[in-house]
């Protein structure tokens, strides 16, 4: 088994960021915008993109939920909400700037998914404990 490092975490984060941004982002270039502009006509390309995104979300959400659990998800959510609150408190984020808030939340969501995908490796490095799923035959 290869050693887990920042580069491997970065790859997971990059894929999570692509997944989140491809699904929706405020720029107007996302699956959501493509779909809403194409309705009511559906094409096989829209269906293929929907299935691909759904597979990506299923993989990330399942791994994140299994490794972090409800308490871990809640704690990371509270941590990220507090970070956003600090941005508001410091004046770095204005309540009127909804687009900036959406971008920040999307990056934090991708980070949450990447942490979930990586948590078993991180925990093993910190504690020395392994998950049953991680044991090689």
């Amino acid at each position: 088994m290869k050693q887990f490092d920042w580069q491997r975490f970065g790859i997971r984060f990059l894929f999570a960021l692509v997944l989140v941004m491809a699904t929706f982002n405020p720029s107007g270039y996302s699956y959501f915008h493509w779909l809403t502009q194409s309705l009511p006509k559906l094409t096989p390309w829209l269906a293929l993109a929907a299935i691909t995104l759904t597979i990506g979300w299923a993989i990330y959400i399942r791994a994140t939920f299994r490794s972090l659990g409800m308490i871990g998800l809640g704690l990371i959510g509270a941590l990220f909400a507090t970070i956003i609150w600090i941005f508001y408190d410091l004046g770095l984020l204005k309540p009127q700037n909804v687009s900036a808030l959406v971008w920040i939340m999307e990056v934090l969501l991708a980070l949450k998914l990447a942490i979930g995908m990586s948590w078993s490796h991180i925990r093993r490095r910190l504690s020395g404990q392994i998950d049953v799923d991680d044991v090689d035959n």
Side-chain angles (χ1 to χ4, degrees), residues 6-19:
W6 282 107
Q7 182 180 11
R8 295 184 196 291
F9 178 80
I11 291 169
R12 287 174 171 87
F13 174 68
L14 180 64
F15 278 109
L17 193 60
V18 168
L19 180 65

Side-chain angles (χ1 to χ4, degrees), residues 74-87:
L75 287 171
I76 289 177
L79 175 67
F80 290 167
T82 305
I83 290 170
I84 292 172
W85 184 13
I86 289 170
F87 286 167

Side-chain angles (χ1 to χ4, degrees), residues 81-118:
T82 305
I83 290 170
I84 292 172
W85 184 13
I86 289 170
F87 286 167
Y88 275 113
D89 192 53
L90 293 173
L92 299 173
L93 193 58
K94 304 288 184 214
Q96 302 82 8
N97 196 346
V98 176
S99 180
L101 178 62
V102 172
W103 283 110
I104 291 169
M105 289 176 61
E106 289 194 345
V107 169
L108 292 176
L109 175 59
L111 185 57
K112 190 176 195 177
L113 293 172
I115 290 169
M117 285 288 282
S118 306

